[in-house]
Amino acid sequence: MPPSSHFFVATILAGLALTTVSAALYPFDITSPGLYGQRFERGKSAEIRWQRVSAVSYTTLTIFLFPDDYANDVLTVASNIPVDANTTVVLLESVVVGESYRVVFADPDFNVVGFSSESTEVEKFPCASHSDCGSDLYCDLFGDCWQCSDCMAQRDSFDGRCPPQCGVEDPGLAVGLSIPTGSELNAVGNVQNFLQPGCSATAVLSENSNPAINFASATAVSFPKLMSA
């Protein structure tokens, strides 16, 4: 990795802030990917092609993928690639599904020496079950594979539970079961809606005293424990 990742990222950001025309000033012209309509696919290989357009004093390159969303990691996908190879195939193991990346070339001193003119999106791929997805992905309600980090946050797994490959204990509930033990009506009390005082229907509400439910504190304008019968 670069000797100073913050400096390296800043260097890339400065380069990407330039226009596509100024990208031609770099010694390497990355011709693929980067064309409109191309896609990356997580877990599969991608070919990167380039041309050296001016002389250089070094013999090898390191190839990075730089995300459009700077919160995601810069990925090293190839190193010690001969400058005149003109093509190499990389395995896309750690790219984020739905993210877009630019290909960035660096010399042995981690100076940016080329970048793709367009970002390339990591394509969502269809699934019918969690097993159709990668080792750290899950299948959502819409039949797409997404990062495991989204499973517990979004609660949108196609079968209502996060799979073991996501590293969480989320067995879900079978039909007819409830937590805590008791009737389904009592178990789902925490998702019943409450009405604000002042509504004429407030008078017909009753207080839910289920000890298994952690209610928010009452305020001057709301009483979370008041529930419909």
Side-chain angles (χ1 to χ4, degrees), residues 200-215:
S200 59
T202 304
V204 300
L205 299 179
S206 58
E207 183 173 299
N208 189 326
S209 58
N210 188 335
I213 303 173
N214 184 19
F215 289 99

Side-chain angles (χ1 to χ4, degrees), residues 90-102:
V90 299
L91 181 61
L92 305 175
E93 294 183 292
S94 301
V95 292
V96 176
V97 174
E99 174 64 284
S100 295
Y101 294 84
R102 292 200 192 212

Side-chain angles (χ1 to χ4, degrees), residues 28-33 48-51 103-105 114-117:
F28 294 93
D29 177 22
I30 300 173
T31 57
S32 178
I48 297 174
R49 298 193 297 272
W50 68 91
Q51 293 179 333
V103 177
V104 176
F105 283 8
F115 61 86
S116 55
S117 59

Side-chain angles (χ1 to χ4, degrees), residues 60-64 76-81 104-108 110 113:
T60 61
L61 297 166
T62 300
I63 301 176
F64 298 89
T76 306
V77 293
S79 57
N80 296 318
I81 303 299
V104 176
F105 283 8
D107 67 15
F110 296 103
V113 294

Side-chain angles (χ1 to χ4, degrees), residues 31-224:
T31 57
S32 178
L35 303 178
Y36 179 77
Q38 289 186 319
R39 296 290 185 270
F40 284 142
E41 191 167 346
R42 181 188 168 98
K44 295 192 176 181
S45 297
E47 183 182 20
I48 297 174
R49 298 193 297 272
W50 68 91
Q51 293 179 333
R52 182 171 58 81
V53 294
S54 61
V56 295
S57 60
Y58 43 90
T59 60
T60 61
L61 297 166
T62 300
I63 301 176
F64 298 89
L65 295 182
F66 193 85
D68 283 356
D69 182 349
Y70 305 145
N72 289 318
D73 293 333
V74 177
L75 305 175
T76 306
V77 293
S79 57
N80 296 318
I81 303 299
V83 295
D84 290 326
N86 293 334
T87 182
T88 191
V89 175
V90 299
L91 181 61
L92 305 175
E93 294 183 292
S94 301
V95 292
V96 176
V97 174
E99 174 64 284
S100 295
Y101 294 84
R102 292 200 192 212
V103 177
V104 176
F105 283 8
D107 67 15
D109 293 324
F110 296 103
N111 298 304
V112 174
V113 294
F115 61 86
S116 55
S117 59
E118 299 289 341
S119 298
T120 302
E121 183 181 7
V122 180
E123 186 175 24
K124 298 185 293 291
F125 44 96
C127 57
S129 68
H130 298 306
S131 61
D132 293 337
C133 302
S135 61
D136 58 351
L137 302 174
Y138 74 101
C139 187
D140 75 359
L141 287 169
F142 303 100
D144 291 320
C145 294
W146 285 99
Q147 310 294 132
C148 274
S149 57
D150 289 337
C151 188
M152 293 299 291
Q154 302 297 329
R155 307 297 296 180
D156 62 349
S157 167
F158 85 97
D159 61 355
R161 62 189 67 185
C162 296
Q165 65 224 44
C166 287
V168 294
E169 292 294 331
D170 183 29
L173 292 175
V175 175
L177 296 181
S178 64
I179 297 176
T181 302
S183 69
E184 183 177 357
L185 176 62
N186 289 335
V188 300
N190 59 334
V191 296
Q192 297 179 39
N193 292 326
F194 63 88
L195 301 176
Q196 292 186 352
C199 174
S200 59
T202 304
V204 300
L205 299 179
S206 58
E207 183 173 299
N208 189 326
S209 58
N210 188 335
I213 303 173
N214 184 19
F215 289 99
S217 300
T219 71
V221 294
S222 66
F223 297 89

